[in-house]
Amino acid sequence: MHRCVCAALAVLSLVGASPTPGSAPPRSVPWKASRLDKPNEHVIFLQYGETEPALKLKETMPVEELNPTHYPARRAAAVAQHFLNARHGSPYKWFHVEQVQSATLEEIAGVGAKYHVVFSAKEGVCNSVGLCTADVLFPEAGGDQTAPQVQCSCEGPLAINASAQEEAFYRRLRGSNSPVTGNNIPDSFGFIAPDMKPLWILAGVASSFVMLKESNENTLYNLAQVANVTQLESEDKQLKFQYHVLLHEMVSQEIIHWKLLVTWAPAGGVSVLHPERQPHCHDCVLPPATAPKERSDPE
Amino acid sequence: KNKSDHCVRKWKNHSDYCVLYSPHQITAWMEMVVKENPGVVSAEVYGRTFENKNITALKIGLNSTSSKKVIWMDCGIHAREWIAPAFCQWFVKEILRTYKSDERMHTILNNVDFYITPVLNMDGYMYSWQNESTRLWRKSRSAPPAGCNCNGTDLNRNFNANWGMIGVSKDCCSDIYCGSKVLSESEADAVTSFVQSMKERVLCFLTIHSHGQLILVPYGYPEIQRVCHPQMQVAQKASEAIKSVHGMEYTVGTPPMVLYPNSGSSRDWARLIGIPFSFTFELRDKGEFGFKLPEDQIQPTCEEAYEGARSIINYVHDKNFPVKGGSVAAATAAFWTTLLASCLTSATFL
């Protein structure tokens, strides 16, 4: 059981638009789904956070103050949360919106709806809280872009250093002879085995790539369950996993299945390859299905 | 096992209220509660599910007569929201644990009968307990209509409240399928008939769901912009009572404000037929575990929700049974009655 060793780097702030070390400067890349007929082609999708949002001189409506407890502000904050996780998450770093403090909306004709949200966010492993500011632009329907564009920066103790746990987890899985697998995380009773927890958090982070891309003003996504996860052989130093995740979309109340190929190493962050939405499965049985634990009568 | 005292109610079988109960265990528990509390608790079967299981409420009250006022609570209308039946059980346990020593609760039980349905959607709940693949089932388990291929209707879209208009799907495979027609579902029909038969006596209607940490106030359809002020105030007080327990924020508002527009909900129907206070509780959490709330959160969730429910119950009780002694109480009661009457008459719509 890892004790949470979280060094709070108070001055450092998480900035969504800053380049990750060693990579090209972030640019907006259109979504590319990998195609099943080209198994060797893999696209690391998602580099969001343009430094300059694509705003030309267009007719703009006045900026509208939003009620922070109402759903439009909360949905926009959730999108910023997905962005934070995609960009900064790890098996030991997962962010959730705690509370929206303030929000505004600006409808930009020909471009879309731009939300500005200020929210407190909690990092779940170390339980630290900080304040984040985000711009979330939902593109107008009918254009080329469907995914929201996000810029987000956070201050306070969110820039925690979980590298000790990440390194230990990485070394354990790299060094192990048998690839790790897991099913039904959490189980039906919400229980997660301690050694599965980093894999669950990693699923949340990886799902954030999908949830971010799929989000619009009429959605609110969460990870509902990891159906299964299997560690795969990796050609490089990354850890590699095949995930089958279940996402819950609040407005439609649907459970949506996705298969994701996920890679991660401590220095490099999470990447998601080959995201595949699974067909809607109404009365389906997930492989492998397991019977619930035997429950003795409550005493 | 180091359970806190609040988890274990020292009846004959020492029931544990900090774990999740299977359908079979809930049924057995209900039978035990009735047996152990003669004269206070009785079982009221008021309908049948699609698969012909009993829909049962626990009627809890002292010196019950047919003219007592009523407080309604139902849990588990959506199968996967497992924390909701757990809360109904906790609520029953608390009433029965405290009424002998707590004068206020004793008074309430003298004046009011509680009708508490721990699992309204027993078919769906049973299905969600089958295995891990079925855990996230939401709807009833009724057969599909002609021309469509999937089981089940969203019971909370099937009531006679602007049915089929918004926030629903007409596709039977959707998780918000509102049914082939209004009250197509026997479960929704059972609640409708039963509550209708006593509607003049019902002081408030509480329906328990998860997740989201919300207290929802009628109506779910945005055409009704005007919100009755007493409703919002009562809900707001409940939210404050919840927060005072463990610091959790429960947002108060109508669904079109704080969640999404919808129609056909039981809460809206109850309000439409004249029940003055009708609320939906969406319990923990805000999405981290979602429907799969870990069992170690059952106790804190139930503790805070209980205070929220009590806040509403105390209010509606005291309003209808003002404490004797004086014109101030009478004036207050009169004020609220007037305010409420104006609220009720303005609730009609086309």
Side-chain angles (χ1 to χ4, degrees), chain A residues 89-117:
Chain A
S90 82
Y92 284 87
K93 210 182 284 182
W94 196 11
F95 301 100
H96 285 93
V97 173
E98 211 186 39
Q99 198 177 47
V100 180
Q101 312 277 0
S102 67
T104 60
L105 167 60
E106 188 185 345
E107 300 274 7
I108 305 166
V111 178
K114 181 179 161 199
Y115 291 77
H116 180 81
V117 237

Side-chain angles (χ1 to χ4, degrees), chain A residues 204-222:
Chain A
V205 171
S207 298
S208 298
F209 285 76
V210 172
M211 297 192 287
L212 174 56
K213 193 266 170 183
E214 295 290 301
S215 286
N216 57 52
E217 287 170 286
N218 298 313
T219 61
L220 184 68
Y221 280 99
N222 277 297

Side-chain angles (χ1 to χ4, degrees), chain A residues 75 186 188 253-254 299, chain B residues 14 80 135 175 259-260 292:
Chain A
R75 289 180 195 174
S188 287
Q253 291 291 346
E254 293 296 331
E299 300 198 348
Chain B
H14 295 264
R80 60 193 178 200
R135 171 64 177 85
D175 260 324
L259 185 58
Y260 44 59
K292 294 186 165 191

